[in-house]
Amino acid sequence: MAQQQAAQTAQSSGRKVKLINAVGYAFGDFYGGGFGQIATYLTLFWTTFAGLKVAQAGSIVGIATMLAAFSALVFGTLSDNLYRYKIGRKFGRRHLLILLGVPLLIVTILMFVPGMPVWAYFVVYALWIITNQLIMTPYSLLPNEMTTDFNGRTMLSTTRMLFSGISTAVVPLGMAALLSALGDKKSSSYTISMGAFIVLFAICVFIAYKSTWELTPEEAGFDVEEIEKEQKEPFNFGKWLKGVGDIFVGYFSTLRNKTFRKHILIYLLGQSFLDIFGQVWLFFVLYNLNKPVAFGSALLGMALIGEPLKPVFGWLFAKLGPRKLFSVNFAGAILGLLGLWGLWQTAAQNNTAWWNAALYVVMVWWLIFRAMTWFIPWNVFPFIPDVDMIVTGENRGGVYMGFQQFARKITAGLSAMAWGWFLGANGFVEDAFKAGKPQPDQAVNAIGTVLVWWIIAGLAIAWIISFTMKLDKKTDKIILDEIDRLKNGGLKKDVDPKTKKVVEELTGVKYEKCWPQTTE
């Protein structure tokens, strides 16, 4: 129940999120958005300049990602409990982990250094993924700690998504300019360009660290005197082992939450298939559309056109709710992918004005809805712990974020391995780009199948699941009002029937089993 008190204390502290705080916070997701863009160039670099087979590249990404998934569980729990240690109380339970990520990012520039053994690329890429978990797990929890106000959280999430989207445009536009100037068939061009962006990411993470705040130990429900007293007692291995077991039970208990089950499926399907798009896109441009790397990178940079729409997305999210906005999103994204399929089928006309005009239109359309596919789930997530709190009586944001990131990395790893093996099995030739040769027709068809039809299938399944999403601004307020009523001594037997129905629909748990209250 300490976490209940923490939430209440935080709400009454009076500290308000200002635009400057939201902007500073959003710099962190300039890195978060740009993180995914790195993979767009990494697989091309590895297969062209580092001597890796496409199946090897996919396997490195996949295996390292899945192994690193376990770090999400560790960092979620660590982030929630760092106040138990002096270093956490000095630097913050969330902020300490974010700060540690800054120097680690610099080390990962080695991903773009040619001539290393396969195992070294694996180790550095695993560090890249683990550092992302180290930073983004506590970073994504900050909105829940900075404010409980719906509009304040929405401003933080919307600004964050705006910067994330800007990053998804700035990175490819910058790469297009740098590769055009330095040459897209030279390994040094990728090393210099990607190195510069990774240093920029480290600076952005530090800005987010300096611009945000979190709950104090007291607000978070930690009794420092009691903790220090416990730490003086002899180490009890049995108690420690039980604690580890409780952690894993806690993570998987999140799946008891009906709304979270729907959210996590939609999120994983959307994000994992967008990962595939990013990793395969340059291959599609080179071999299916017969255009250069710099041109394909510049096309991705057109995502900047959709960034002014992010506040509109935020308004639509509050107005329509997640369920209706998901339908708009998935329908638009699937239409964009069908447009890319049509352009591939007519690629023989790629020097004509009409074909190039159509390509620009289709890409802008697709990139707008791709941005929305990222935007909606991250605006849903801050309200998931509210649904959990009515059941457990605790604010378990770190547990939910840890499990979500764990599952995200598992599916991302599996998707990377799947497309790498699929292209390898269909005769993909790794040195075709460097040698200036085309791919075999079978490999070209495999690339198109992955980029268009695999992604359409994933988004269609997510769309079907989204039809049953009932969490929105109205139902979240009902949940929060009921939590406040129960906190203030209200009895479960006096619940309003409408509120009871909403609670059961969102949680998937009978109301009588919600909220740890012994007195009826």
Coordinates of all heavy atoms in Angstrom, one line a residue, residues 144-217:
N144 N 4.8 9.0 -15.4 CA 4.0 8.5 -14.2 C 4.4 9.1 -12.9 O 3.6 9.3 -12.0 CB 4.0 7.0 -14.1 CG 3.3 6.3 -15.3 OD1 3.8 6.4 -16.4 ND2 2.3 5.6 -15.0
E145 N 5.7 9.5 -12.8 CA 6.3 10.0 -11.6 C 6.2 11.6 -11.6 O 6.1 12.2 -10.5 CB 7.7 9.6 -11.4 CG 7.8 8.1 -11.4 CD 8.8 7.6 -10.4 OE1 9.4 8.4 -9.7 OE2 9.0 6.3 -10.2
M146 N 6.3 12.2 -12.8 CA 6.3 13.6 -12.8 C 4.9 14.2 -12.6 O 4.8 15.3 -12.1 CB 6.9 14.1 -14.2 CG 8.4 13.7 -14.4 SD 9.0 14.1 -16.0 CE 9.0 15.9 -16.0
T147 N 3.9 13.5 -13.0 CA 2.5 14.0 -12.8 C 1.5 12.9 -12.9 O 1.8 11.9 -13.6 CB 2.2 15.1 -13.9 OG1 0.9 15.6 -13.7 CG2 2.3 14.5 -15.3
T148 N 0.3 13.1 -12.3 CA -0.8 12.2 -12.4 C -1.9 12.8 -13.3 O -2.9 12.2 -13.5 CB -1.4 11.8 -11.1 OG1 -1.8 12.9 -10.4 CG2 -0.4 11.0 -10.2
D149 N -1.7 14.0 -13.7 CA -2.6 14.8 -14.5 C -2.7 14.2 -15.9 O -1.7 14.0 -16.6 CB -2.3 16.3 -14.5 CG -3.2 17.1 -15.4 OD1 -4.4 17.1 -15.1 OD2 -2.7 17.6 -16.4
F150 N -3.9 13.9 -16.4 CA -4.1 13.4 -17.8 C -3.5 14.2 -18.8 O -2.7 13.8 -19.7 CB -5.6 13.1 -18.0 CG -5.9 12.4 -19.4 CD1 -6.0 11.1 -19.4 CD2 -6.0 13.2 -20.6 CE1 -6.3 10.4 -20.6 CE2 -6.2 12.5 -21.8 CZ -6.4 11.2 -21.8
N151 N -3.7 15.6 -18.8 CA -3.2 16.5 -19.8 C -1.7 16.6 -19.7 O -1.0 16.7 -20.7 CB -3.9 17.8 -19.6 CG -5.4 17.8 -20.0 OD1 -5.8 17.0 -20.8 ND2 -6.1 18.7 -19.3
G152 N -1.2 16.6 -18.4 CA 0.3 16.6 -18.3 C 1.0 15.4 -18.9 O 2.0 15.5 -19.5
R153 N 0.4 14.3 -18.6 CA 1.0 13.0 -19.2 C 0.9 13.0 -20.7 O 1.8 12.6 -21.4 CB 0.2 11.8 -18.6 CG 0.6 11.5 -17.2 CD -0.2 10.2 -16.8 NE 0.1 9.8 -15.4 CZ -0.5 8.8 -14.8 NH1 -1.4 8.0 -15.5 NH2 -0.2 8.5 -13.5
T154 N -0.3 13.5 -21.2 CA -0.5 13.6 -22.6 C 0.5 14.5 -23.3 O 1.1 14.2 -24.4 CB -1.9 14.0 -23.0 OG1 -2.8 13.0 -22.4 CG2 -2.1 14.0 -24.5
M155 N 0.8 15.7 -22.6 CA 1.8 16.6 -23.2 C 3.2 16.0 -23.2 O 3.9 16.1 -24.2 CB 1.8 17.9 -22.3 CG 2.9 18.9 -22.8 SD 2.7 20.5 -22.1 CE 3.2 20.2 -20.4
L156 N 3.6 15.2 -22.1 CA 4.8 14.6 -22.1 C 4.9 13.5 -23.2 O 5.9 13.4 -23.9 CB 5.1 13.9 -20.8 CG 5.4 14.8 -19.6 CD1 5.3 14.1 -18.3 CD2 6.8 15.4 -19.7
S157 N 3.9 12.7 -23.3 CA 3.9 11.6 -24.3 C 3.8 12.2 -25.7 O 4.5 11.7 -26.6 CB 2.7 10.7 -24.1 OG 2.7 10.1 -22.9
T158 N 3.0 13.2 -26.0 CA 2.9 13.8 -27.3 C 4.3 14.5 -27.7 O 4.7 14.3 -28.8 CB 1.8 14.9 -27.3 OG1 0.6 14.2 -27.0 CG2 1.7 15.5 -28.7
T159 N 4.9 15.2 -26.8 CA 6.1 15.9 -27.1 C 7.2 14.8 -27.3 O 8.0 14.9 -28.2 CB 6.6 16.8 -26.0 OG1 5.5 17.6 -25.6 CG2 7.7 17.7 -26.4
R160 N 7.2 13.8 -26.5 CA 8.1 12.7 -26.7 C 8.0 12.1 -28.1 O 9.0 11.8 -28.8 CB 7.9 11.6 -25.6 CG 8.6 10.4 -25.8 CD 8.2 9.3 -24.9 NE 8.9 8.1 -25.1 CZ 8.8 7.0 -24.4 NH1 7.9 6.9 -23.4 NH2 9.5 5.9 -24.6
M161 N 6.8 11.8 -28.5 CA 6.6 11.2 -29.8 C 6.9 12.1 -30.9 O 7.4 11.7 -32.0 CB 5.1 10.8 -29.9 CG 4.7 9.6 -29.0 SD 5.6 8.0 -29.4 CE 6.8 8.0 -28.1
L162 N 6.8 13.4 -30.7 CA 7.2 14.4 -31.7 C 8.7 14.3 -31.9 O 9.1 14.3 -33.1 CB 6.8 15.8 -31.2 CG 7.2 17.0 -32.1 CD1 6.6 16.9 -33.5 CD2 6.9 18.3 -31.5
F163 N 9.4 14.3 -30.9 CA 10.9 14.2 -31.0 C 11.4 12.9 -31.5 O 12.3 12.8 -32.3 CB 11.6 14.5 -29.6 CG 11.8 16.0 -29.4 CD1 10.7 16.9 -29.3 CD2 13.1 16.5 -29.2 CE1 10.9 18.2 -29.1 CE2 13.3 17.9 -28.9 CZ 12.2 18.7 -28.9
S164 N 10.7 11.8 -31.1 CA 11.0 10.5 -31.7 C 10.8 10.5 -33.2 O 11.6 10.0 -33.9 CB 10.1 9.5 -31.0 OG 10.3 8.2 -31.6
G165 N 9.7 11.1 -33.6 CA 9.4 11.2 -35.1 C 10.4 12.0 -35.8 O 10.8 11.7 -36.9
I166 N 10.8 13.2 -35.2 CA 11.8 14.0 -35.8 C 13.1 13.2 -36.0 O 13.7 13.3 -37.1 CB 12.0 15.3 -34.9 CG1 10.8 16.2 -35.0 CG2 13.3 16.0 -35.4 CD1 10.9 17.4 -34.1
S167 N 13.4 12.4 -35.0 CA 14.6 11.6 -35.1 C 14.5 10.6 -36.3 O 15.5 10.4 -37.0 CB 14.9 10.9 -33.8 OG 16.0 10.0 -33.9
T168 N 13.4 10.0 -36.5 CA 13.2 9.1 -37.5 C 13.3 9.7 -38.9 O 13.5 9.1 -39.9 CB 11.8 8.3 -37.4 OG1 10.8 9.3 -37.6 CG2 11.7 7.6 -36.1
A169 N 13.2 11.1 -38.9 CA 13.4 11.8 -40.2 C 14.8 12.4 -40.3 O 15.4 12.3 -41.4 CB 12.3 12.9 -40.3
V170 N 15.3 12.9 -39.2 CA 16.6 13.6 -39.2 C 17.7 12.6 -39.5 O 18.6 12.9 -40.3 CB 16.9 14.3 -37.9 CG1 18.3 14.7 -37.8 CG2 16.0 15.5 -37.8
V171 N 17.6 11.4 -38.9 CA 18.7 10.4 -39.1 C 18.8 10.0 -40.6 O 19.9 10.1 -41.2 CB 18.5 9.2 -38.2 CG1 19.5 8.1 -38.6 CG2 18.7 9.6 -36.7
P172 N 17.7 9.6 -41.2 CA 17.9 9.2 -42.7 C 18.2 10.4 -43.6 O 18.9 10.2 -44.5 CB 16.5 8.6 -43.0 CG 15.6 9.0 -42.0 CD 16.4 9.2 -40.7
L173 N 17.6 11.6 -43.3 CA 18.0 12.7 -44.1 C 19.5 13.1 -43.9 O 20.2 13.4 -44.9 CB 17.2 13.9 -43.7 CG 15.7 14.0 -44.2 CD1 15.0 15.1 -43.6 CD2 15.6 14.0 -45.7
G174 N 20.0 13.0 -42.7 CA 21.4 13.3 -42.5 C 22.3 12.2 -43.1 O 23.3 12.5 -43.7
M175 N 21.8 10.9 -43.1 CA 22.6 9.9 -43.7 C 22.5 10.0 -45.2 O 23.6 9.8 -45.9 CB 22.0 8.5 -43.3 CG 22.3 8.1 -41.9 SD 24.1 7.9 -41.7 CE 24.5 6.5 -42.8
A176 N 21.4 10.5 -45.8 CA 21.3 10.7 -47.2 C 22.3 11.7 -47.7 O 23.0 11.5 -48.7 CB 19.9 11.1 -47.6
A177 N 22.4 12.8 -46.9 CA 23.4 13.9 -47.3 C 24.8 13.4 -47.1 O 25.7 13.7 -48.0 CB 23.1 15.1 -46.4
L178 N 25.1 12.7 -46.0 CA 26.5 12.3 -45.7 C 26.9 11.2 -46.7 O 28.1 11.2 -47.2 CB 26.6 11.8 -44.3 CG 26.5 12.9 -43.2 CD1 26.3 12.2 -41.8 CD2 27.7 13.7 -43.2
L179 N 26.0 10.3 -47.0 CA 26.4 9.2 -48.0 C 26.6 9.8 -49.4 O 27.4 9.3 -50.2 CB 25.3 8.1 -47.9 CG 25.3 7.3 -46.7 CD1 24.2 6.3 -46.7 CD2 26.6 6.6 -46.4
S180 N 25.8 10.8 -49.7 CA 25.9 11.4 -51.0 C 27.3 12.1 -51.1 O 27.9 12.1 -52.2 CB 24.8 12.4 -51.3 OG 23.5 11.7 -51.4
A181 N 27.7 12.8 -50.0 CA 28.9 13.5 -50.0 C 30.1 12.6 -49.9 O 31.2 12.8 -50.5 CB 28.9 14.5 -48.8
L182 N 30.0 11.6 -49.0 CA 31.2 10.7 -48.7 C 31.3 9.5 -49.6 O 32.3 8.9 -49.8 CB 31.1 10.3 -47.3 CG 31.2 11.4 -46.2 CD1 31.0 10.8 -44.8 CD2 32.5 12.2 -46.3
G183 N 30.1 9.1 -50.2 CA 30.1 7.9 -51.1 C 29.4 6.7 -50.3 O 29.9 6.3 -49.3
D184 N 28.4 6.1 -50.9 CA 27.6 5.1 -50.2 C 28.2 3.7 -50.4 O 27.7 2.7 -49.9 CB 26.1 5.1 -50.6 CG 25.9 4.8 -52.1 OD1 26.9 4.5 -52.8 OD2 24.8 4.9 -52.6
K185 N 29.3 3.6 -51.1 CA 30.0 2.3 -51.3 C 31.4 2.3 -50.6 O 32.2 1.4 -50.9 CB 30.2 2.0 -52.8 CG 28.9 1.8 -53.5 CD 29.1 1.3 -54.9 CE 27.7 1.0 -55.6 NZ 27.9 0.4 -57.0
K186 N 31.6 3.2 -49.6 CA 32.8 3.2 -48.8 C 32.4 2.9 -47.4 O 31.5 3.6 -46.8 CB 33.4 4.6 -48.9 CG 34.0 4.9 -50.3 CD 34.3 6.4 -50.5 CE 35.3 6.9 -49.5 NZ 35.5 8.3 -49.7
S187 N 33.1 2.0 -46.7 CA 32.8 1.7 -45.3 C 33.0 2.9 -44.4 O 32.2 3.0 -43.4 CB 33.6 0.5 -44.9 OG 35.0 0.8 -44.9
S188 N 34.0 3.7 -44.7 CA 34.3 4.8 -43.8 C 33.1 5.8 -43.7 O 32.9 6.5 -42.7 CB 35.5 5.5 -44.2 OG 35.4 6.0 -45.6
S189 N 32.3 5.9 -44.8 CA 31.2 6.8 -44.8 C 30.2 6.4 -43.8 O 29.6 7.3 -43.1 CB 30.5 6.8 -46.2 OG 31.5 7.1 -47.2
Y190 N 29.9 5.2 -43.6 CA 29.0 4.7 -42.6 C 29.6 4.8 -41.2 O 28.8 5.2 -40.3 CB 28.6 3.2 -42.9 CG 27.9 3.0 -44.2 CD1 28.6 2.9 -45.4 CD2 26.5 3.0 -44.2 CE1 27.9 2.7 -46.6 CE2 25.8 2.8 -45.4 CZ 26.5 2.7 -46.6 OH 25.9 2.5 -47.8
T191 N 30.8 4.6 -41.0 CA 31.5 4.7 -39.7 C 31.4 6.1 -39.2 O 31.0 6.4 -38.1 CB 32.9 4.2 -39.8 OG1 33.0 2.9 -40.3 CG2 33.6 4.2 -38.4
I192 N 31.8 7.1 -40.1 CA 31.8 8.5 -39.7 C 30.4 9.0 -39.4 O 30.1 9.6 -38.4 CB 32.4 9.3 -40.8 CG1 33.9 9.0 -40.9 CG2 32.2 10.8 -40.5 CD1 34.6 9.6 -42.1
S193 N 29.5 8.7 -40.3 CA 28.1 9.1 -40.2 C 27.4 8.6 -39.0 O 26.8 9.3 -38.2 CB 27.3 8.8 -41.4 OG 27.9 9.3 -42.6
M194 N 27.4 7.3 -38.8 CA 26.8 6.6 -37.7 C 27.4 7.0 -36.3 O 26.7 7.2 -35.3 CB 26.8 5.1 -37.9 CG 25.8 4.6 -38.9 SD 24.0 4.7 -38.3 CE 23.5 6.2 -39.0
G195 N 28.7 7.2 -36.3 CA 29.4 7.6 -35.1 C 29.0 9.0 -34.7 O 28.7 9.2 -33.5
A196 N 28.8 9.9 -35.6 CA 28.3 11.2 -35.3 C 26.9 11.2 -34.7 O 26.6 11.8 -33.7 CB 28.3 12.1 -36.5
F197 N 26.0 10.3 -35.2 CA 24.7 10.2 -34.7 C 24.6 9.6 -33.3 O 23.8 10.0 -32.5 CB 23.8 9.5 -35.7 CG 23.2 10.3 -36.8 CD1 23.6 10.2 -38.1 CD2 22.3 11.3 -36.5 CE1 23.1 11.0 -39.1 CE2 21.8 12.1 -37.5 CZ 22.2 12.0 -38.8
I198 N 25.4 8.6 -33.1 CA 25.5 8.0 -31.8 C 25.9 8.9 -30.7 O 25.4 9.0 -29.6 CB 26.3 6.7 -31.8 CG1 25.6 5.6 -32.7 CG2 26.5 6.1 -30.4 CD1 26.4 4.4 -32.9
V199 N 26.9 9.8 -31.0 CA 27.4 10.8 -30.0 C 26.3 11.8 -29.8 O 26.0 12.2 -28.6 CB 28.6 11.5 -30.6 CG1 28.9 12.8 -29.7 CG2 29.8 10.6 -30.6
L200 N 25.5 12.1 -30.8 CA 24.4 13.0 -30.7 C 23.3 12.4 -29.8 O 22.7 13.1 -28.9 CB 23.8 13.4 -32.0 CG 22.5 14.3 -32.0 CD1 22.8 15.6 -31.4 CD2 22.0 14.5 -33.5
F201 N 23.1 11.1 -29.9 CA 22.1 10.4 -29.1 C 22.5 10.5 -27.6 O 21.7 10.7 -26.7 CB 22.0 9.0 -29.5 CG 21.4 8.7 -30.8 CD1 21.6 7.6 -31.5 CD2 20.5 9.7 -31.4 CE1 21.0 7.3 -32.7 CE2 19.9 9.4 -32.6 CZ 20.2 8.3 -33.3
A202 N 23.8 10.3 -27.3 CA 24.3 10.4 -25.9 C 24.1 11.8 -25.3 O 23.7 11.9 -24.2 CB 25.8 10.1 -25.9
I203 N 24.3 12.8 -26.1 CA 24.0 14.2 -25.6 C 22.5 14.4 -25.3 O 22.1 15.0 -24.3 CB 24.5 15.2 -26.7 CG1 26.0 15.2 -26.8 CG2 24.0 16.6 -26.3 CD1 26.5 16.0 -28.0
C204 N 21.7 13.9 -26.2 CA 20.2 14.0 -26.0 C 19.7 13.3 -24.7 O 18.9 13.8 -24.0 CB 19.5 13.4 -27.2 SG 19.6 14.5 -28.7
V205 N 20.3 12.1 -24.5 CA 19.9 11.4 -23.2 C 20.3 12.2 -22.0 O 19.6 12.2 -21.0 CB 20.6 10.0 -23.2 CG1 20.4 9.3 -21.9 CG2 20.0 9.1 -24.3
F206 N 21.5 12.8 -22.1 CA 22.0 13.6 -20.9 C 21.0 14.8 -20.7 O 20.7 15.2 -19.6 CB 23.4 14.1 -21.2 CG 24.0 14.8 -20.0 CD1 24.4 14.1 -18.8 CD2 24.1 16.2 -20.0 CE1 24.9 14.8 -17.7 CE2 24.6 16.9 -18.9 CZ 25.0 16.2 -17.8
I207 N 20.5 15.4 -21.8 CA 19.6 16.5 -21.6 C 18.3 16.1 -20.9 O 17.8 16.8 -20.1 CB 19.3 17.1 -23.0 CG1 20.5 17.8 -23.6 CG2 18.1 18.1 -22.9 CD1 20.3 18.3 -25.1
A208 N 17.8 14.9 -21.3 CA 16.6 14.3 -20.7 C 16.9 14.1 -19.2 O 16.0 14.4 -18.3 CB 16.2 13.1 -21.4
Y209 N 18.1 13.6 -18.9 CA 18.4 13.4 -17.5 C 18.4 14.7 -16.7 O 17.9 14.7 -15.5 CB 19.8 12.8 -17.5 CG 20.5 12.8 -16.1 CD1 20.2 11.9 -15.1 CD2 21.5 13.8 -15.8 CE1 20.9 12.0 -13.9 CE2 22.1 13.9 -14.6 CZ 21.8 12.9 -13.6 OH 22.4 13.0 -12.4
K210 N 18.8 15.8 -17.3 CA 18.9 17.0 -16.5 C 17.5 17.8 -16.5 O 17.4 18.7 -15.7 CB 19.9 18.0 -17.2 CG 21.3 17.5 -17.1 CD 21.9 17.5 -15.7 CE 22.1 18.9 -15.2 NZ 22.7 18.9 -13.8
S211 N 16.6 17.4 -17.3 CA 15.3 18.2 -17.5 C 14.1 17.6 -16.8 O 13.1 18.2 -16.8 CB 15.0 18.3 -19.0 OG 16.0 18.9 -19.7
T212 N 14.3 16.4 -16.1 CA 13.2 15.7 -15.5 C 13.4 15.5 -14.1 O 14.4 15.7 -13.5 CB 13.0 14.4 -16.3 OG1 14.2 13.6 -16.2 CG2 12.6 14.6 -17.7
W213 N 12.3 15.0 -13.4 CA 12.4 14.7 -12.0 C 11.6 13.4 -11.8 O 10.9 12.9 -12.7 CB 11.8 15.8 -11.1 CG 10.4 16.1 -11.3 CD1 9.3 15.5 -10.8 CD2 9.8 17.1 -12.2 NE1 8.1 16.0 -11.2 CE2 8.4 17.0 -12.1 CE3 10.4 18.0 -13.1 CZ2 7.5 17.8 -12.8 CZ3 9.5 18.8 -13.8 CH2 8.1 18.8 -13.7
E214 N 11.8 12.8 -10.6 CA 11.1 11.6 -10.2 C 10.6 11.7 -8.8 O 10.9 12.7 -8.1 CB 12.0 10.4 -10.4 CG 13.3 10.5 -9.7 CD 14.2 9.3 -10.0 OE1 13.8 8.2 -9.5 OE2 15.3 9.5 -10.6
L215 N 9.8 10.7 -8.3 CA 9.4 10.7 -6.9 C 10.6 10.6 -6.0 O 11.6 9.9 -6.3 CB 8.5 9.5 -6.7 CG 7.2 9.5 -7.5 CD1 6.4 8.2 -7.1 CD2 6.3 10.7 -7.2
T216 N 10.6 11.3 -4.9 CA 11.6 11.1 -3.9 C 11.4 9.8 -3.2 O 10.3 9.1 -3.4 CB 11.5 12.2 -2.8 OG1 10.2 12.1 -2.1 CG2 11.5 13.6 -3.4
P217 N 12.4 9.3 -2.4 CA 12.2 8.0 -1.7 C 10.9 8.0 -0.9 O 10.2 7.0 -0.8 CB 13.4 7.8 -0.9 CG 14.5 8.6 -1.7 CD 13.8 9.7 -2.3

